[in-house]
Amino acid sequence: MGKVTENKQQKERSLLNTAFQLFTSKGIAKTSISDIAQQAGIAKGTFYLYFRDKYDLQERLIVHKAEVLFRHAIAAVQNQGSMDPEEQIIALLDDILTEMQRDPRLLRFINKNLSWAVFRRAMDKSNVDYLCEVKRILSSGGQQWQEQELMLYTIIELVGAASYSVVLDQDPVDLERYKPWLFRSVRAIMEAHRIREG
Amino acid sequence: MGKVTENKQQKERSLLNTAFQLFTSKGIAKTSISDIAQQAGIAKGTFYLYFRDKYDLQERLIVHKAEVLFRHAIAAVQNQGSMDPEEQIIALLDDILTEMQRDPRLLRFINKNLSWAVFRRAMDKSNVDYLCEVKRILSSGGQQWQEQELMLYTIIELVGAASYSVVLDQDPVDLERYKPWLFRSVRAIMEAHRIREG
Amino acid sequence: MGKVTENKQQKERSLLNTAFQLFTSKGIAKTSISDIAQQAGIAKGTFYLYFRDKYDLQERLIVHKAEVLFRHAIAAVQNQGSMDPEEQIIALLDDILTEMQRDPRLLRFINKNLSWAVFRRAMDKSNVDYLCEVKRILSSGGQQWQEQELMLYTIIELVGAASYSVVLDQDPVDLERYKPWLFRSVRAIMEAHRIREG
Amino acid sequence: MGKVTENKQQKERSLLNTAFQLFTSKGIAKTSISDIAQQAGIAKGTFYLYFRDKYDLQERLIVHKAEVLFRHAIAAVQNQGSMDPEEQIIALLDDILTEMQRDPRLLRFINKNLSWAVFRRAMDKSNVDYLCEVKRILSSGGQQWQEQELMLYTIIELVGAASYSVVLDQDPVDLERYKPWLFRSVRAIMEAHRIREG
DNA sequence: GATGAATGAGAGTTCATTCAT
DNA sequence: CATGAATGAACTCTCATTCAT
């Protein structure tokens, strides 16, 4: 890789980071390209060498952040080593929630911008197939599920939505107090989809 | 109520309606106050006699729309007449989902803008205490629940989030096919919170 | 007419005049809307209350200037009182050339921007039908012409094109020395189209 | 001529051709140096090794195109072999009009950009003295003319201006129908300048 | 010679807000 | 109360030009 290419990649990452700072502190609508360029220490025109416009940047940022989050969570599950699908899913969610708690701006940004459609697009662009990874988890120990994709969808939407105000505003309760009940609900949902052998 | 006041109320409602049309068709960011005033047939300056700015209007609109939706759902439950809390909650959700299906713009608008905090503010401003109403439903037949408020929060967040892409994009499936599984999940969540007697 | 309307009309005329000054001194391409607004003593945004963009203004300006020019020339012919069509046409051209000589910027502006198509559009928008007026001149004394419209087209294009460098740069000769030869050519063209009575 | 110089000349011609394509399809104002360089397959910076700026290129292009056109027309006249000056001038104009008809973009480009001054500059820069060539034609058979240069000027301006909308828009008629009348006018102009021998 | 990343001035345009009528 | 002309800051995006490689 040439010096120039390397330099460009670094500058792109710098722009993504700067934009994330600004998007999460002032909001996307109130963040101008001038702001981003200035904060990143480049000329306004340079921005357009890297992104088509603010929304191009936004999309690339979502993809990037979602991917980092998932990579971390999948790794956490693998390190934990349990073979029970339910426990692995809970561990996955727990890791994600912990990350969100650590950086609530990430939650605010992803949650406000991540739709199911965007999520899938992000997964497509990624090198690793995270969805497939999650499906492998669900099949651990030979377990099978009714309407597996819908179950996943339900869980993702529930956790994504419910975590928002809990993490950001501790409303209606704080995360530590909500987690047991949230996980109990997740287990109940999984139970409702489980195919019993016998 | 004087004629003047009446006239004012009518103009305000006209502005709210116009804004809803524009917000849901062009998006809030791309709707200008000029647009709203012009569409509503008033002068730009007049807008400021009714709202502080676009975001003041937006908030009042959310509250208004959420209230209409809830009033309708509560009435639907009362007309149905079942005494089983679970069935009543399902009926309530079913009515809301049906309304959303009928007017997906409403879903898009509320979902993108309604947070738990805003929802509670809306409820506070309303004349009827809908939350109390729901709690009465939950207590039908003397039933009691662990962490009743958290259970409600969980259900509302789940249904709100999961309905979005299902209703608007039929993704991952269409609403009719998703409903049974969604309701099964809701029942599972309630089951997980139920206090058994005896 | 209300005070406001009057004021607006005056401001529009002021903008047209300012734009003409700038267009003819710096060229259209190098004249920005900022320039026009600043020179006219209004805010940049105000420009857009009067014109869609620079090219809207330009077109309105061409129409306006062409109309003034023609009105003047037609009046000059009528005051002169000759009945010979050839002499009347020459008088018409002479008046236009004199005006151009008086304000060469006008020539530069019109010539660079007036095509046959634009000219006809301008005539359409005008209240008076100048083309019709010219045709009446040609028919004075019962005179008839072969391909009358083509003859007119030829004369207009010749005079328009040939006057440009003569008036603006006295190149290849100055206007006074060129006029006799130009008019001799015009008469020759007319002669070539004349229908002789028999 | 060294390899390097040859290479440079080829690159310059490539730039001229590319610019002509772009100028005539998008217009000069909307063609950027980036566009030209990209289309020509060179780096933006390289452009400046060949031309000072867009307008330098534009001027060189006009000169080049005008010269090609005239060379072709002069050759056509020489091949035809008539000795009558009038017929030779008509043949010259006919060839130019035919070329314009074949490539209307050429007409649009030259006509919008060629003034008498630029034309003469082009002729000066050329190796062959086309003006002298034309004067020789006029003197064929010992014919003499009053104000010969003004006559030429008049004819060139007439044909240049009148061909524009006829060729490009078939307005007010198409070229084939206009030609007889145009040539009749040209002959009338020449007649008006002819010195009859006694 | 050739490159193309970087620059930054400046173009066009929009719009919330004000205020004289 | 209502108006809408006027404002001017702020925005997005373009592009000629430079210069280190």
Side-chain angles (χ1 to χ4, degrees), chain C residues 112 116 120 146-147 149-150 153-154 157-158 161-162 165-166 171-173 177-178 181 184-185 188-189 192-193, chain D residues 112 116 120 146-147 149-150 153-154 157-158 161-162 165-166 171-173 178 181 184-185 188-189 192-193:
Chain C
K112 280 283 177 211
W116 183 247
R120 286 220 303 228
Q146 292 178 283
E147 294 285 0
E149 184 158 353
L150 290 188
Y153 173 73
T154 304
E157 292 294 336
L158 167 59
S165 108
V166 163
D171 178 32
V173 294
R177 285 188 48 208
Y178 186 53
W181 295 99
R184 187 180 290 199
S185 293
I189 291 169
H193 287 258
Chain D
K112 281 280 177 214
W116 181 248
R120 284 222 304 231
Q146 292 179 281
E147 295 285 358
E149 184 158 351
L150 290 189
Y153 173 74
T154 304
E157 292 295 335
L158 167 59
S165 112
V166 163
D171 179 28
V173 293
Y178 186 54
W181 295 98
R184 186 179 290 198
S185 293
I189 291 169
H193 287 258

Side-chain angles (χ1 to χ4, degrees), chain B residues 30 82 94 161:
Chain B
K30 299 215 160 176
S82 159
D94 198 24

Side-chain angles (χ1 to χ4, degrees), chain C residues 132-151:
Chain C
C132 172
E133 203 70 34
V134 172
K135 284 174 181 170
R136 245 197 30 224
I137 289 176
L138 287 174
S139 309
S140 309
Q143 179 60 54
Q144 289 186 321
W145 310 88
Q146 292 178 283
E147 294 285 0
Q148 180 180 286
E149 184 158 353
L150 290 188
M151 179 180 80

Side-chain angles (χ1 to χ4, degrees), chain A residues 111-184:
Chain A
N111 199 290
K112 279 283 177 211
N113 296 292
L114 193 60
S115 70
W116 183 246
V118 170
F119 170 72
R120 285 222 303 227
R121 191 134 41 96
M123 293 298 101
D124 285 354
K125 283 192 179 168
S126 171
N127 295 323
V128 189
D129 185 347
Y130 295 104
L131 204 55
C132 172
E133 203 71 34
V134 172
K135 284 176 181 171
R136 245 196 31 224
I137 289 176
L138 287 172
S139 308
S140 309
Q143 179 60 54
Q144 288 186 322
W145 311 88
Q146 291 178 283
E147 295 284 359
Q148 181 181 282
E149 184 158 352
L150 292 188
M151 178 180 82
L152 261 181
Y153 174 73
T154 304
I155 292 170
I156 290 173
E157 293 294 336
L158 167 59
V159 176
S163 59
Y164 194 75
S165 109
V166 163
V167 169
L168 294 176
D169 306 322
Q170 289 79 49
D171 177 29
V173 293
D174 66 50
L175 183 60
E176 283 321 303
R177 284 189 49 208
Y178 186 53
K179 259 189 194 171
W181 295 98
L182 177 61
F183 290 159
R184 186 181 290 198

Side-chain angles (χ1 to χ4, degrees), chain B residues 52 56 59-61 63-64 67 118-130:
Chain B
R52 210 173 40 256
D56 180 28
E59 197 163 301
R60 299 247 290 273
L61 191 49
V63 169
H64 174 63
E67 199 187 322
V118 171
F119 171 72
R120 284 222 304 228
R121 190 133 39 96
M123 293 300 101
D124 285 354
K125 284 193 179 170
S126 172
N127 297 323
V128 191
D129 185 347
Y130 295 104

Side-chain angles (χ1 to χ4, degrees), chain B residues 85-103:
Chain B
E86 276 182 333
E87 289 323 299
Q88 286 185 78
I89 291 295
I90 296 292
L92 188 100
L93 297 174
D94 198 24
D95 182 81
I96 291 174
L97 287 173
T98 304
E99 286 301 299
M100 297 291 201
Q101 181 87 305
R102 240 174 32 92
D103 187 2

